[in-house]
Structure formats: C-alpha cells, structure tokens
Amino acid sequence: MGAALPTLLLILAGVLVGGTWSLYRQGAPKVAVFVTAALAVLATVAGVLRLLPENG
C-alpha cells in the first residue's frame, strides 16, 4: 500500500485540473475556478511530497 496514496492523490489532482479547465471554459464564477485550481495544486503537492523518501 506504499504507493497507493500518492497515486490516488495524483489521480485526484488530474481530475481537479480537468474540472478547473471545464469550469473556466464554461465561464463559471472566478471563485469557483480558483478554489478548484487551489485544490488541484494541493493534491499535486501532497502526492509529490508523499513520494519523497522520509528523512531519518
């Protein structure tokens, strides 16, 4: 189960990026686009950080 969480987080990030793009193209309110984009960034950062080896 070591690589399951980072994989799921990066999949979630991809879905959120697609959702952000879709919202932007449909002319959704800027707040909705920003929140979705922020969640995508957070999921990406969390997934990448979980892949890094632990120190110590």
Side-chain angles (χ1 to χ4, degrees):
M1 172 128 181
L5 183 59
T7 302
L8 291 174
L9 285 169
L10 292 173
I11 289 170
L12 174 63
V15 170
L16 287 169
V17 167
T20 301
W21 182 249
S22 178
L23 287 170
Y24 174 75
R25 293 286 307 250
Q26 293 177 25
K30 300 288 184 194
V31 173
V33 175
F34 177 77
V35 168
T36 310
L39 290 173
V41 169
L42 285 174
T44 302
V45 170
V48 169
L49 287 177
R50 292 290 297 173
L51 285 173
L52 296 177
E54 294 184 21
N55 296 336

